[in-house]
Amino acid sequence: MIQRVQSIFLLIVAVAMLAVTFNTIWEQVDPGQTQKMKLTAWSLSTYAIENGQEGALLAEQAVFIIGILAIAAAALALYSLFQYKNRTRQMFLNMINSLLMGITLGVVVYQTYQANADINPNAQGAFVIGFWAIVVAIICNVISNRFIRRDELLVKSVDRIR
């Protein structure tokens, strides 16, 4: 049944991972307030700062791996959502999804570390909504796995009574 509580958490996982693809993940401004770096799921961009606002695009580096991993994690969460008849498979898919989201988080941290070394090694950048969406997705995935496990144990205990 799709109306179970773990289905809500799996839907939140899918929405959060799709939010990663549309939002900024990390931002950093250089010490002279002349350049700003932005990491999204698709690119690492450097902008000039003019009058306190983002100005012209100075450089852009493609980072497709974050977007691809985020879309794969969202698709896997949606696929897992509809595997409610086979709870063991659903738990396995969620385990794989946790690994996928962990890899996504690792790639984000690596990219921000590398970019931070270029622009301002003395200060950390600011993680924004895209980063926190990954964290929310991982937490919701763990919670959904706990509810699936509880359902599986309940079904096994009822079968034992019969």
Side-chain angles (χ1 to χ4, degrees):
M1 295 186 295
I2 295 180
Q3 66 263 24
R4 296 180 307 167
V5 68
Q6 57 264 32
S7 301
I8 295 168
F9 285 110
L10 286 172
L11 191 61
I12 291 171
V13 169
V15 169
M17 291 310 288
L18 286 177
V20 171
T21 63
F22 296 112
N23 291 303
T24 304
I25 298 170
W26 176 82
E27 292 180 340
Q28 173 69 299
V29 178
D30 72 338
Q33 302 287 319
T34 59
Q35 291 182 354
K36 178 180 185 178
M37 289 188 102
K38 260 172 110 170
L39 176 69
T40 64
W42 308 107
S43 67
L44 177 64
S45 307
T46 305
Y47 295 95
I49 296 178
E50 301 164 354
N51 301 326
Q53 298 291 327
E54 228 174 68
L57 178 66
L58 300 175
E60 189 171 37
Q61 175 187 355
V63 187
F64 291 109
I65 189 73
I66 297 170
I68 292 169
L69 286 170
I71 289 174
L76 192 58
L78 288 174
Y79 180 70
S80 175
L81 176 65
F82 293 106
Q83 296 299 311
Y84 55 87
K85 290 183 181 179
N86 191 344
R87 284 173 297 280
T88 330
R89 180 184 300 150
Q90 200 173 27
M91 284 190 294
F92 179 72
L93 290 172
N94 286 350
M95 227 170 33
I96 292 172
N97 207 10
S98 289
L99 180 66
L100 211 62
M101 290 183 287
I103 291 170
T104 305
L105 198 60
V107 170
V108 166
V109 169
Y110 175 76
Q111 287 292 329
T112 58
Y113 178 76
Q114 292 296 323
N116 200 40
D118 292 342
I119 193 165
N120 188 4
N122 296 330
Q124 291 289 73
F127 288 110
V128 289
I129 195 160
F131 176 81
W132 298 112
I134 299 171
V135 173
V136 166
I138 290 172
I139 291 169
C140 287
N141 197 45
V142 168
I143 293 170
S144 71
N145 240 8
R146 285 185 182 249
F147 280 112
I148 295 167
R149 176 100 172 115
R150 188 167 25 159
D151 277 0
E152 183 67 22
L153 292 175
L154 179 66
V155 167
K156 283 183 181 179
S157 71
V158 169
D159 284 345
R160 238 188 334 255
I161 294 172
R162 288 184 197 173

